[in-house]
Amino acid sequence: MHQLYRSFYVILFLTSCVTGITRAADKPFAVESNLRAGVAKVDITPADVNQLEVVGHRRKVTGVRDPLRAGVLVLDDGQTKAAIVTLDLIGAYSELVKPARQQIEQATGIPAANIMVAASHNHSGPGFDAESKWGQELIEKLTAAAKQAASNMSPVTVGYGEDQIGFGINRRKVINGRAVVRLNEEGPNDPRVKVLRFDDGKSLTPVAVIMHAVCHPCFFTWGDKGSMPYPNGYPKMSADFPGEAQTFVEMCYGNQTSSLFLQGCAGDIRPNLPGYPYRCADEADIQWAGRDLGGAVVRTLARSVIREQLAGRAKHYPIRVASTVVSLPGKEGRIDAELQALKIGPYLLLTMPGEPMVEYGLKLEQDIADRAIPIIVGYANGNIGYIATADAYQVGGYEPNTSKLTPEAEAIILTELSELADRVIGDVFESFSKHPKDVKKREEAEKARVSKP
């Protein structure tokens, strides 16, 4: 009898859960849009994690706390195709980006130049070796995910909103004219969370979610001066707070959506874990951060489908992509860096291939915020290391001292990104002129960009 009652309550509980999910998904709404989207996610955790060395803060780990994943969002406006690839890894190295783009283009027809490959900058994952078995499997998995996403496209509209996180803090403080490593609440920071949701209108559950935040994913790293409980750093592989947040968001939608994480200008922003100078996180810390970010995302997602928000959504989302490779002044010679602009309707993503300090994002937004909704992405399409501001070199510190660039690089990067923004926003004369010479010039430039290997 007790077993019968227990079975009854289990069935009742499961029915309630299913009913809850159904009720959350039972309000369709009209979608009128030129934009089509498809998404796929894949587990990219190495099969063998016994004494594997992770990068960022190097240490050997045994076992996996939570899986590393990659996400692929494919977009098509009827004329232009593009894709966003996100990775729970420390960097989007050129050795990874180039073959991934080539194989995705072959599998889907998306031009390689229109594919953004971005890493979360996770400090508890493996490094990339193109010759390794895992490295080759990773490229294959990304290609398969892109193919899956491209084969399951549907018309979507895009919602946008912002919230905030509370665990990021600047890690530089200037004392007596020099920068030292210090948790600095008064230093520049960007606690905003930017959220894009892609809806097919079949329910209140989004097809895909992009979350953008600014903070080093280095919760699970070395302890300060060998502090407990993990004097040598957290002993397992993890996707750190971006992975925890993605899982939280997907859980809130009954695992019927896919969430992707984009890292911002986090070069000098880290988790606020006080210590000497800071400590390694434990389980409570990672749950705090993951649910703080995940909660901010879910709040934003929920608000962006109320009737007033839906009524304000665009119906036309032209995709425009521009990119360039610039030669930057380096301490030991010139350094090539790819910069990219991807505009989806009013939303403008600008990328840098390394670790830009937080001021880069703030400066770029100030320049273009009245022309588009900016989302500034670091750690994308390559990795040239720290991208420090010119001012940072005057006081030194870890970021400018270890950067491969010279102070003059900042002005070049900001200028080139502004020009890419001009090209995709399309509100400067050269970008919309119908004069035959201007049209021909634009067509030739775009053909050259897309045909680059």
Side-chain angles (χ1 to χ4, degrees):
M1 183 63 71
H2 288 296
Q3 183 63 37
L4 180 62
Y5 280 124
R6 180 179 298 174
S7 300
F8 172 76
Y9 284 119
V10 168
I11 293 171
L12 182 63
F13 172 74
L14 291 175
T15 302
S16 300
C17 290
V18 173
T19 302
I21 294 173
T22 303
R23 286 177 180 171
D26 66 359
K27 186 183 177 182
F29 54 90
V31 165
E32 183 180 345
S33 171
N34 68 308
L35 183 66
R36 298 170 67 243
V39 67
K41 291 190 74 171
V42 61
D43 190 326
I44 59 170
T45 313
D48 185 6
V49 191
N50 184 27
Q51 291 297 299
L52 186 149
E53 186 175 72
V54 297
V55 293
H57 291 175
R58 291 188 177 273
R59 63 193 190 281
K60 291 187 177 182
V61 298
T62 299
V64 177
R65 177 193 177 273
D66 55 282
L68 310 185
R69 293 177 292 175
V72 182
L73 177 66
V74 174
L75 302 167
D76 185 348
D77 70 354
Q79 293 183 324
T80 302
K81 295 180 180 180
I84 297 172
V85 179
T86 61
L87 304 162
D88 289 336
L89 300 178
I90 193 164
Y93 293 96
S94 298
E95 298 82 359
L96 186 163
V97 173
K98 186 175 181 179
R101 281 174 161 170
Q102 290 173 338
Q103 292 195 28
I104 290 173
E105 180 179 39
Q106 292 174 4
T108 66
I110 302 168
N114 289 4
I115 300 171
M116 176 192 301
V117 183
S120 68
H121 197 48
N122 175 30
H123 283 48
S124 292
F128 178 77
D129 179 359
E131 302 300 323
S132 70
K133 180 181 178 181
W134 175 76
Q136 294 173 1
E137 289 176 348
L138 173 60
I139 302 300
E140 292 172 359
K141 287 182 176 181
L142 295 179
T143 305
K147 191 173 181 179
Q148 179 184 343
S151 67
N152 190 27
M153 307 277 283
S154 58
V156 296
T157 59
V158 186
Y160 175 80
E162 296 184 6
D163 207 295
Q164 290 196 347
I165 52 175
F167 57 83
I169 190 170
N170 195 283
R171 68 183 189 190
R172 289 168 54 87
K173 188 174 181 66
V174 178
I175 299 176
N176 295 328
R178 67 186 184 119
V180 298
V181 177
R182 185 74 54 87
L183 299 183
N184 182 10
E185 293 183 358
E186 298 177 354
N189 192 10
D190 187 356
R192 293 172 299 168
V193 178
K194 299 183 176 184
V195 183
L196 291 169
R197 62 173 289 161
F198 298 80
D199 289 292
D200 61 10
K202 295 178 181 178
S203 73
L204 294 178
T205 297
V207 171
V209 175
I210 290 180
M211 64 180 86
H212 172 276
V214 180
C215 184
H216 258 68
C218 59
F219 273 80
F220 288 145
T221 53
W222 305 316
D224 60 336
K225 301 296 183 181
S227 64
M228 300 302 287
Y230 305 115
N232 298 315
Y234 191 74
K236 293 185 179 182
M237 185 169 289
S238 169
D240 211 276
F241 80 82
E244 189 79 359
Q246 291 174 67
T247 298
F248 182 88
V249 171
E250 291 164 0
M251 176 195 70
C252 288
Y253 286 93
N255 294 315
Q256 299 301 303
T257 191
S258 295
S259 60
L260 288 71
F261 176 86
L262 289 176
Q263 182 64 264
C265 300
D268 52 347
I269 307 298
R270 63 153 289 123
N272 188 3
L273 300 175
Y276 185 74
Y278 29 72
R279 61 175 173 80
C280 177
D282 57 22
E283 186 63 24
D285 296 314
I286 200 68
Q287 289 190 21
W288 161 50
R291 295 173 187 181
D292 188 23
L293 173 56
V297 173
V298 170
R299 283 194 302 273
T300 303
L301 292 172
R303 184 175 184 276
S304 61
V305 285
I306 64 174
R307 66 189 67 178
E308 292 83 1
Q309 295 291 317
L310 287 176
R313 288 196 186 183
K315 295 181 180 180
H316 187 62
Y317 300 88
I319 295 173
R320 299 191 68 176
V321 189
S323 58
T324 186
V325 176
V326 296
S327 177
L328 300 174
K331 295 173 181 176
E332 298 181 1
R334 309 295 296 188
I335 297 174
D336 288 342
E338 180 184 337
L339 307 176
Q340 186 182 52
L342 169 59
K343 189 169 180 288
I344 310 161
Y347 310 108
L348 173 62
L349 284 69
L350 294 175
T351 75
M352 283 171 274
E355 302 196 50
M357 293 174 66
V358 69
E359 292 92 335
Y360 274 87
L362 300 175
K363 290 178 180 180
L364 285 165
E365 286 198 22
Q366 187 175 12
D367 288 344
I368 61 178
D370 62 342
R371 303 167 62 201
I373 297 174
I375 300 174
I376 315 302
V377 182
Y379 312 89
N381 303 328
N383 194 336
I384 60 173
Y386 279 102
I387 305 175
T389 62
D391 290 343
Y393 288 86
Q394 298 179 14
V395 293
Y398 180 71
E399 296 81 7
N401 289 352
T402 57
S403 174
K404 300 174 184 177
L405 303 173
T406 66
E408 292 74 22
E410 178 185 359
I412 298 172
I413 292 171
L414 293 178
T415 299
E416 292 288 344
L417 282 172
S418 293
E419 291 182 358
L420 289 177
D422 289 345
R423 287 166 57 184
V424 298
I425 293 173
D427 60 356
V428 295
F429 181 77
E430 292 83 356
S431 66
F432 63 80
S433 169
K434 298 300 182 181
H435 191 284
K437 289 184 178 179
D438 292 323
V439 172
K440 184 178 180 180
K441 184 178 180 181
R442 289 199 302 269
E443 290 175 346
E444 290 177 347
E446 180 63 11
K447 183 177 180 180
R449 184 187 74 85
V450 173
S451 64
K452 285 180 181 178

